[in-house]
Amino acid sequence: MKKILITGSNGLLGQKLAELLLSRPDVELLATSRGENKLATLFPALPFASMDVSVQEQVEQVVSEFRPTHIIHTAAMTNVDQCETDRDGALQLNYHAVQYLVAACEKYNVHLIHLSTDFIFDGENGPYDEEAEANPISFYGETKRLAEEAVKQATCKWAILRTVLVYGVVHDYGRTNIVLWVRDSLRAGKHIKVVNDQFRTPTLAEDLAMGSWLAAQHDAEGIYNISGKELLTPYDMALQVADYFDLDKSLIEKADATTFSQTAKRPPRTGFDITKAERELGYKPHTFAEGIRIVAEQAEV
Ligand SMILES: NC(=O)C1=CN([C@@H]2O[C@H](COP(=O)(O)OP(=O)(O)OC[C@H]3O[C@@H](n4cnc5c(N)ncnc54)[C@H](OP(=O)(O)O)[C@@H]3O)[C@@H](O)[C@H]2O)C=CC1
Ligand SMILES: Cc1cn([C@H]2C[C@H](O)[C@@H](COP(=O)(O)OP(=O)(O)O[C@H]3O[C@@H](C)C(=O)[C@@H](O)[C@H]3O)O2)c(=O)[nH]c1=O
């Protein structure tokens, strides 16, 4: 029996993980997130405890009480532009909270599975394998690099799962995702500018949840790339979305770093080589086309 504590269960990955693990007979699950449980109506049977990971006392209290065998840590400040402007908040949530979790995992002998990102790289020569050298170009990326360093020095068992451009349908959550953002914009007849100079391996949230579960199931240790397999630009993705929903592609305008700028710099060429996770964990992600269909079916409900 694995006793798994999820952090950030209200988020995109957190919700998919809760859904995946709730029904497994070999898992005792505790979902945790800051504040209220946004899944209470969706999954009334979901065991939940409020845990603000940025408060060390709450981490200590919840971990000492539940005594998990594994923690899958998904909570983070994931708004890259917000991390640039709220640096203290980003450091506290993306780095110091991980130090609190490491301390609790070392004290109670918990296997820590930590979620990380392609944004620790500068994007000069992606796609990347697990041995590539970190060199972040945004503050978000720097906070996630610092977090990885804290995990790598931990004396408890640990795994770092890196992922890229996660998309999926979340319940009761303000954030959209690239598939639904393109679909809704084109349906509304809106003209959108989509970059074709960023390269990613977009990741269906359900696949990332499966990869996280596989890591726990295998008691995996070390670094694993858990993302989609296809290297695509957001422009490629937008065209595939328009095709799937049979929408007007002429509304999609190619953009690049000179015509589309965001507060934080984005690494241009990332994407991951996932052969290690495929080989060692049996990880097998959907194609982007399958992912669009899955998102469309969920969004139509
Ligand atoms: N999304 C992506 O494209 C990518 C994500 N990642 C990484 O994957 C992980 C999961 O990302 P994703 O699911 O998209 O993240 P989300 O932003 O969807 O979810 C993060 C969750 O963490 C919760 N949270 C925020 N602050 C705290 C806190 N102090 N204590 C406890 N919970 C808190 C949020 O709760 P609330 O609802 O209250 O805000 C939110 O539900 C992150 O570590 C991220 O860095 C890596 C690469 C790509
Ligand atoms: C809003 C917008 C986005 N895009 C592109 C840029 C980007 O590649 C993609 C998604 O836009 P975002 O700004 O939401 O993406 P971004 O904040 O870059 O997403 C990042 O999130 C963090 C958490 C990560 O860890 C990274 O892996 C990455 O997924 O769509 C456009 O081309 N035009 C637009 O108008």
Side-chain angles (χ1 to χ4, degrees):
M1 174 68 79
K2 295 192 188 297
K3 287 183 76 174
I4 298 183
L5 184 154
I6 306 172
T7 72
S9 59
N10 283 336
L12 175 53
L13 171 57
Q15 292 193 14
K16 301 303 184 185
L17 262 173
E19 186 170 16
L20 176 68
L21 299 181
L22 181 61
S23 52
R24 288 197 69 95
D26 52 347
V27 171
E28 184 185 339
L29 178 63
L30 180 63
T32 73
S33 205
R34 171 181 60 181
E36 293 302 302
N37 174 13
K38 295 181 181 174
L39 296 172
T41 40
L42 206 71
F43 305 123
L46 178 70
F48 179 85
S50 178
M51 182 173 89
D52 182 331
V53 295
S54 68
V55 178
Q56 182 152 28
E57 296 71 25
Q58 290 192 29
V59 172
E60 163 62 31
Q61 199 263 318
V62 173
V63 175
S64 63
E65 209 166 289
F66 181 61
R67 301 303 297 271
T69 57
H70 298 73
I71 290 177
I72 302 179
H73 176 46
T74 87
M77 186 181 293
T78 58
N79 183 314
V80 179
D81 292 330
Q82 181 190 352
C83 290
E84 212 66 33
T85 53
D86 176 13
R87 294 194 164 207
D88 292 343
L91 267 179
Q92 185 59 27
L93 179 47
N94 291 358
Y95 173 44
H96 297 308
V98 173
Q99 292 175 308
Y100 306 155
L101 285 161
V102 164
C105 288
E106 290 175 337
K107 184 173 178 182
Y108 298 108
N109 188 26
V110 182
H111 189 146
L112 178 59
I113 297 172
H114 171 74
L115 271 295
S116 191
T117 170
D118 58 329
F119 276 30
I120 63 168
F121 300 114
D122 55 22
E124 287 312 311
N125 49 12
Y128 296 102
D129 64 18
E130 285 85 354
E131 281 67 51
E133 192 71 28
N135 181 30
I137 59 173
S138 66
F139 195 69
Y140 163 76
E142 173 58 9
T143 64
K144 296 296 280 186
R145 185 194 66 78
L146 287 167
E148 286 202 4
E149 290 313 306
V151 173
K152 288 175 185 173
Q153 288 153 26
T155 56
C156 58
K157 282 189 175 183
W158 60 264
I160 289 171
L161 308 184
R162 293 177 180 152
T163 193
V164 180
L165 197 50
V166 183
Y167 64 95
V169 178
V170 276
H171 304 278
D172 178 23
Y173 201 78
R175 217 179 64 184
T176 182
N177 63 74
I178 188 155
V179 171
L180 295 181
W181 164 67
V182 171
R183 180 199 67 175
D184 298 344
S185 305
L186 298 187
R187 273 186 177 165
K190 258 177 64 188
H191 176 91
I192 53 174
K193 289 163 61 171
V194 189
V195 293
N196 73 337
D197 64 346
Q198 288 182 20
F199 293 80
R200 303 284 183 263
T201 45
T203 309
L204 180 68
E206 281 83 354
D207 287 337
L208 182 57
M210 180 51 75
S212 304
W213 160 240
L214 288 169
Q217 198 179 34
H218 288 78
D219 294 317
E221 295 185 65
I223 299 171
Y224 289 86
N225 289 343
I226 305 284
S227 75
K229 197 169 174 123
E230 298 154 280
L231 190 66
L232 297 165
T233 68
Y235 183 71
D236 300 327
M237 299 174 214
L239 293 183
Q240 286 197 41
V241 171
D243 283 341
Y244 179 87
F245 291 101
D246 195 18
L247 295 167
D248 178 3
K249 283 190 275 199
S250 69
L251 289 168
I252 304 172
E253 178 194 335
K254 270 185 198 165
D256 60 35
T258 62
T259 55
F260 175 78
S261 68
Q262 296 174 284
T263 311
K265 284 204 299 282
R266 264 56 177 193
R269 283 189 73 88
T270 67
F272 284 153
D273 169 346
I274 61 169
T275 44
K276 181 182 176 188
E278 290 174 312
R279 189 182 61 246
E280 295 187 19
L281 303 180
Y283 172 67
K284 193 173 170 7
H286 290 83
T287 63
F288 189 67
E290 289 163 345
I292 294 173
R293 179 180 51 75
I294 290 167
V295 165
E297 284 162 5
Q298 288 176 19
E300 298 305 334
V301 168

PDB file of all heavy atoms in Angstrom, residues 244-259:
ATOM      1  N   TYR A 244      -9.088  20.434 -36.012  1.00  0.00           N
ATOM      2  CA  TYR A 244      -9.945  19.498 -35.271  1.00  0.00           C
ATOM      3  C   TYR A 244     -11.376  20.046 -35.137  1.00  0.00           C
ATOM      4  O   TYR A 244     -12.347  19.340 -35.315  1.00  0.00           O
ATOM      5  CB  TYR A 244      -9.374  19.228 -33.874  1.00  0.00           C
ATOM      6  CG  TYR A 244     -10.253  18.281 -33.067  1.00  0.00           C
ATOM      7  CD1 TYR A 244     -10.097  16.895 -33.168  1.00  0.00           C
ATOM      8  CD2 TYR A 244     -11.282  18.776 -32.259  1.00  0.00           C
ATOM      9  CE1 TYR A 244     -10.926  16.027 -32.468  1.00  0.00           C
ATOM     10  CE2 TYR A 244     -12.119  17.910 -31.555  1.00  0.00           C
ATOM     11  CZ  TYR A 244     -11.934  16.550 -31.666  1.00  0.00           C
ATOM     12  OH  TYR A 244     -12.772  15.695 -30.984  1.00  0.00           O
ATOM     13  N   PHE A 245     -11.441  21.340 -34.825  1.00  0.00           N
ATOM     14  CA  PHE A 245     -12.775  21.947 -34.594  1.00  0.00           C
ATOM     15  C   PHE A 245     -13.349  22.564 -35.867  1.00  0.00           C
ATOM     16  O   PHE A 245     -14.393  23.219 -35.824  1.00  0.00           O
ATOM     17  CB  PHE A 245     -12.685  23.017 -33.499  1.00  0.00           C
ATOM     18  CG  PHE A 245     -12.411  22.472 -32.113  1.00  0.00           C
ATOM     19  CD1 PHE A 245     -11.129  22.535 -31.566  1.00  0.00           C
ATOM     20  CD2 PHE A 245     -13.422  21.872 -31.382  1.00  0.00           C
ATOM     21  CE1 PHE A 245     -10.876  22.029 -30.298  1.00  0.00           C
ATOM     22  CE2 PHE A 245     -13.168  21.359 -30.108  1.00  0.00           C
ATOM     23  CZ  PHE A 245     -11.896  21.440 -29.561  1.00  0.00           C
ATOM     24  N   ASP A 246     -12.578  22.373 -37.006  1.00  0.00           N
ATOM     25  CA  ASP A 246     -13.029  22.914 -38.295  1.00  0.00           C
ATOM     26  C   ASP A 246     -13.294  24.423 -38.207  1.00  0.00           C
ATOM     27  O   ASP A 246     -14.379  24.913 -38.549  1.00  0.00           O
ATOM     28  CB  ASP A 246     -14.299  22.166 -38.747  1.00  0.00           C
ATOM     29  CG  ASP A 246     -14.575  22.452 -40.232  1.00  0.00           C
ATOM     30  OD1 ASP A 246     -13.630  22.905 -40.914  1.00  0.00           O
ATOM     31  OD2 ASP A 246     -15.730  22.275 -40.665  1.00  0.00           O
ATOM     32  N   LEU A 247     -12.290  25.173 -37.711  1.00  0.00           N
ATOM     33  CA  LEU A 247     -12.440  26.626 -37.532  1.00  0.00           C
ATOM     34  C   LEU A 247     -11.551  27.360 -38.532  1.00  0.00           C
ATOM     35  O   LEU A 247     -10.698  26.762 -39.167  1.00  0.00           O
ATOM     36  CB  LEU A 247     -12.071  27.002 -36.088  1.00  0.00           C
ATOM     37  CG  LEU A 247     -13.010  26.415 -35.025  1.00  0.00           C
ATOM     38  CD1 LEU A 247     -12.409  26.564 -33.625  1.00  0.00           C
ATOM     39  CD2 LEU A 247     -14.383  27.087 -35.086  1.00  0.00           C
ATOM     40  N   ASP A 248     -11.720  28.660 -38.635  1.00  0.00           N
ATOM     41  CA  ASP A 248     -11.084  29.475 -39.662  1.00  0.00           C
ATOM     42  C   ASP A 248      -9.614  29.779 -39.328  1.00  0.00           C
ATOM     43  O   ASP A 248      -9.321  30.610 -38.455  1.00  0.00           O
ATOM     44  CB  ASP A 248     -11.874  30.793 -39.792  1.00  0.00           C
ATOM     45  CG  ASP A 248     -11.244  31.715 -40.824  1.00  0.00           C
ATOM     46  OD1 ASP A 248     -10.248  31.290 -41.463  1.00  0.00           O
ATOM     47  OD2 ASP A 248     -11.726  32.846 -40.979  1.00  0.00           O
ATOM     48  N   LYS A 249      -8.723  29.094 -40.061  1.00  0.00           N
ATOM     49  CA  LYS A 249      -7.279  29.227 -39.772  1.00  0.00           C
ATOM     50  C   LYS A 249      -6.734  30.602 -40.176  1.00  0.00           C
ATOM     51  O   LYS A 249      -5.674  31.011 -39.719  1.00  0.00           O
ATOM     52  CB  LYS A 249      -6.515  28.130 -40.515  1.00  0.00           C
ATOM     53  CG  LYS A 249      -6.621  26.769 -39.836  1.00  0.00           C
ATOM     54  CD  LYS A 249      -5.679  25.767 -40.452  1.00  0.00           C
ATOM     55  CE  LYS A 249      -6.301  25.119 -41.679  1.00  0.00           C
ATOM     56  NZ  LYS A 249      -5.614  23.840 -42.012  1.00  0.00           N
ATOM     57  N   SER A 250      -7.481  31.298 -41.003  1.00  0.00           N
ATOM     58  CA  SER A 250      -6.946  32.601 -41.444  1.00  0.00           C
ATOM     59  C   SER A 250      -6.939  33.607 -40.283  1.00  0.00           C
ATOM     60  O   SER A 250      -6.299  34.649 -40.358  1.00  0.00           O
ATOM     61  CB  SER A 250      -7.807  33.155 -42.589  1.00  0.00           C
ATOM     62  OG  SER A 250      -9.084  33.511 -42.083  1.00  0.00           O
ATOM     63  N   LEU A 251      -7.617  33.262 -39.187  1.00  0.00           N
ATOM     64  CA  LEU A 251      -7.632  34.145 -38.009  1.00  0.00           C
ATOM     65  C   LEU A 251      -6.344  33.980 -37.196  1.00  0.00           C
ATOM     66  O   LEU A 251      -6.064  34.746 -36.278  1.00  0.00           O
ATOM     67  CB  LEU A 251      -8.838  33.811 -37.119  1.00  0.00           C
ATOM     68  CG  LEU A 251     -10.225  34.191 -37.669  1.00  0.00           C
ATOM     69  CD1 LEU A 251     -11.321  33.546 -36.829  1.00  0.00           C
ATOM     70  CD2 LEU A 251     -10.383  35.713 -37.698  1.00  0.00           C
ATOM     71  N   ILE A 252      -5.547  32.949 -37.560  1.00  0.00           N
ATOM     72  CA  ILE A 252      -4.310  32.688 -36.794  1.00  0.00           C
ATOM     73  C   ILE A 252      -3.145  33.357 -37.508  1.00  0.00           C
ATOM     74  O   ILE A 252      -2.820  33.016 -38.649  1.00  0.00           O
ATOM     75  CB  ILE A 252      -4.025  31.174 -36.709  1.00  0.00           C
ATOM     76  CG1 ILE A 252      -5.217  30.423 -36.115  1.00  0.00           C
ATOM     77  CG2 ILE A 252      -2.763  30.919 -35.863  1.00  0.00           C
ATOM     78  CD1 ILE A 252      -5.083  28.904 -36.183  1.00  0.00           C
ATOM     79  N   GLU A 253      -2.547  34.323 -36.835  1.00  0.00           N
ATOM     80  CA  GLU A 253      -1.418  35.039 -37.436  1.00  0.00           C
ATOM     81  C   GLU A 253      -0.113  34.564 -36.810  1.00  0.00           C
ATOM     82  O   GLU A 253      -0.006  34.459 -35.592  1.00  0.00           O
ATOM     83  CB  GLU A 253      -1.562  36.547 -37.209  1.00  0.00           C
ATOM     84  CG  GLU A 253      -0.397  37.374 -37.770  1.00  0.00           C
ATOM     85  CD  GLU A 253      -0.379  38.803 -37.241  1.00  0.00           C
ATOM     86  OE1 GLU A 253      -1.460  39.309 -36.843  1.00  0.00           O
ATOM     87  OE2 GLU A 253       0.721  39.392 -37.177  1.00  0.00           O
ATOM     88  N   LYS A 254       0.866  34.235 -37.672  1.00  0.00           N
ATOM     89  CA  LYS A 254       2.175  33.823 -37.163  1.00  0.00           C
ATOM     90  C   LYS A 254       2.811  34.986 -36.412  1.00  0.00           C
ATOM     91  O   LYS A 254       2.786  36.123 -36.887  1.00  0.00           O
ATOM     92  CB  LYS A 254       3.102  33.457 -38.332  1.00  0.00           C
ATOM     93  CG  LYS A 254       3.041  32.010 -38.755  1.00  0.00           C
ATOM     94  CD  LYS A 254       4.080  31.718 -39.829  1.00  0.00           C
ATOM     95  CE  LYS A 254       3.734  30.421 -40.556  1.00  0.00           C
ATOM     96  NZ  LYS A 254       4.464  30.260 -41.813  1.00  0.00           N
ATOM     97  N   ALA A 255       3.352  34.692 -35.228  1.00  0.00           N
ATOM     98  CA  ALA A 255       4.070  35.722 -34.474  1.00  0.00           C
ATOM     99  C   ALA A 255       5.430  35.156 -34.090  1.00  0.00           C
ATOM    100  O   ALA A 255       5.670  33.952 -34.208  1.00  0.00           O
ATOM    101  CB  ALA A 255       3.278  36.108 -33.228  1.00  0.00           C
ATOM    102  N   ASP A 256       6.316  36.058 -33.665  1.00  0.00           N
ATOM    103  CA  ASP A 256       7.601  35.577 -33.130  1.00  0.00           C
ATOM    104  C   ASP A 256       8.036  36.570 -32.057  1.00  0.00           C
ATOM    105  O   ASP A 256       7.309  37.502 -31.728  1.00  0.00           O
ATOM    106  CB  ASP A 256       8.649  35.437 -34.231  1.00  0.00           C
ATOM    107  CG  ASP A 256       8.904  36.768 -34.912  1.00  0.00           C
ATOM    108  OD1 ASP A 256       8.852  37.809 -34.226  1.00  0.00           O
ATOM    109  OD2 ASP A 256       9.117  36.768 -36.132  1.00  0.00           O
ATOM    110  N   ALA A 257       9.213  36.357 -31.506  1.00  0.00           N
ATOM    111  CA  ALA A 257       9.654  37.169 -30.358  1.00  0.00           C
ATOM    112  C   ALA A 257       9.676  38.662 -30.678  1.00  0.00           C
ATOM    113  O   ALA A 257       9.568  39.502 -29.789  1.00  0.00           O
ATOM    114  CB  ALA A 257      11.024  36.694 -29.910  1.00  0.00           C
ATOM    115  N   THR A 258       9.771  38.975 -32.005  1.00  0.00           N
ATOM    116  CA  THR A 258       9.812  40.418 -32.334  1.00  0.00           C
ATOM    117  C   THR A 258       8.411  41.032 -32.322  1.00  0.00           C
ATOM    118  O   THR A 258       8.247  42.225 -32.125  1.00  0.00           O
ATOM    119  CB  THR A 258      10.406  40.632 -33.744  1.00  0.00           C
ATOM    120  OG1 THR A 258       9.532  39.968 -34.684  1.00  0.00           O
ATOM    121  CG2 THR A 258      11.796  40.035 -33.857  1.00  0.00           C
ATOM    122  N   THR A 259       7.380  40.182 -32.522  1.00  0.00           N
ATOM    123  CA  THR A 259       6.024  40.741 -32.592  1.00  0.00           C
ATOM    124  C   THR A 259       5.149  40.307 -31.421  1.00  0.00           C
ATOM    125  O   THR A 259       4.025  40.760 -31.278  1.00  0.00           O
ATOM    126  CB  THR A 259       5.318  40.271 -33.885  1.00  0.00           C
ATOM    127  OG1 THR A 259       5.362  38.831 -33.886  1.00  0.00           O
ATOM    128  CG2 THR A 259       6.021  40.796 -35.118  1.00  0.00           C
TER     129      THR A 259
END
